[in-house]
Amino acid sequence: VIEQTRAVKIPENLSNEIASLAIVGRVAMHGIRRAEIEYGDNVAIVGLGLMGQLAMQHAKLAGAGKTIAVEIDPWRLEIAEKLGADHCVNPDYVDVVDTVNLFTEIGADVVIETAGVSAAVPLSFSIARDRGRVVTVGWHLKPIPLDLAEDLLYKELDLRPSRAGGLKVDIPANIMRWNGRRNLEFMLSLLETGKINTENLVTHIIPATDISYAYELIRLRSEPSLHVILNWSNK
């Protein structure tokens, strides 16, 4: 049971499985709104899990000139390339700063961090250009050690946190245009019209009776996965 203001109707021609991407997609969307991407900006996405794959597509819709996917998992990079990433970079095999500079000449205008691991934040600082913007979308549960003088201060970077899918749903539109509810409604419309490519994103649909297996699959990464769905029906 939820408050009525938080309930959003799923379009009739949208399957429940694809509609379930809307919650994570809304979080990625809000991160892109926080980034205030300008038309033609070079945007790097650090971490290409489900959140990163959606953020990369949102960045392109928002006007990114080039999108650069930064990820250590080769399989996730393959998915990012299929979904439209202009460049794919694996820090395990190349110098990520030199490689991003090669693509952009000056570094990324905007960096979206969606990895949720502490090492991803200083890496994001390192590939941003002077006075670039870094948005932390990843959920960080541990302290992040940072050398402020290394990049954040020296480059005068703009660091912006992003709070999940947006602020409270009851904030009037004339005060804040895009609150959490309106972000969710718009995300559903992007899924309905196919403007967000969902191919290859839903990797598993698992009966709820096997819920422990689903969580172990995600925790241990025993096989490649992105969006893992629990099916609660008896069918």
Side-chain angles (χ1 to χ4, degrees):
V1 178
I2 62 171
E3 297 172 1
Q4 182 179 352
T5 55
R6 297 177 58 194
V8 176
K9 186 176 181 179
I10 297 173
E12 290 183 4
N13 62 337
L14 197 62
S15 70
N16 288 338
E17 290 76 16
I18 298 302
S20 68
L21 287 162
I23 297 297
V24 177
R26 174 182 65 169
V27 176
M29 176 193 294
H30 185 60
I32 296 302
R33 292 197 191 284
R34 292 283 292 146
E36 294 184 287
I37 294 170
E38 296 180 4
Y39 198 70
D41 275 349
N42 294 317
V43 180
I45 298 89
V46 178
L48 271 296
L50 180 61
M51 188 76 68
Q53 303 285 354
L54 291 165
M56 184 269 294
Q57 294 192 62
H58 280 305
K60 294 180 79 70
L61 290 173
K66 293 179 182 177
T67 51
I68 304 164
V70 181
E71 167 65 54
I72 60 174
D73 186 329
W75 179 79
R76 290 182 173 183
L77 284 180
E78 289 180 13
I79 300 299
E81 185 175 19
K82 291 178 181 177
L83 294 178
D86 296 292
H87 302 286
C88 294
V89 180
N90 189 327
D92 282 350
Y93 297 102
V94 298
D95 185 299
V96 67
V97 175
D98 289 345
T99 305
V100 171
N101 285 341
L102 179 66
F103 296 144
T104 63
E105 297 183 358
I106 58 174
D109 298 299
V110 175
V111 183
I112 310 295
E113 181 274 311
T114 55
V117 295
S118 59
V121 177
L123 186 149
S124 298
F125 292 169
S126 72
I127 62 177
R129 66 162 171 84
D130 287 6
R131 295 195 169 183
R133 297 182 295 283
V134 177
V135 180
T136 54
V137 180
W139 187 252
H140 293 273
L141 299 176
K142 298 179 180 179
I144 303 172
L146 296 174
D147 182 351
L148 294 183
E150 183 68 23
D151 283 306
L152 189 63
L153 294 181
Y154 182 73
K155 293 182 179 179
E156 295 187 345
L157 296 177
D158 185 356
L159 174 60
R160 302 182 181 187
S162 178
R163 172 183 161 176
L167 299 183
K168 293 182 179 180
V169 299
D170 56 356
I171 299 177
N174 64 319
I175 296 176
M176 186 178 68
R177 174 71 178 90
W178 293 104
N179 63 21
R181 178 188 175 89
R182 286 186 284 276
N183 276 337
L184 181 57
E185 290 173 335
F186 187 55
M187 182 63 206
L188 283 169
S189 74
L190 293 177
L191 292 170
E192 181 185 17
T193 57
K195 291 181 179 179
I196 291 291
N197 186 350
T198 60
E199 189 175 357
N200 299 306
L201 293 183
V202 178
T203 57
H204 296 76
I205 300 177
I206 298 173
T209 50
D210 294 332
I211 190 170
S212 59
Y213 164 72
Y215 277 99
E216 286 299 287
L217 181 152
I218 296 169
R219 185 177 70 86
L220 299 176
R221 293 195 177 187
S222 54
E223 56 186 271
S225 67
L226 286 173
H227 191 42
V228 178
I229 293 174
L230 289 174
N231 183 359
W232 291 87
S233 73
N234 293 323
K235 297 179 181 179

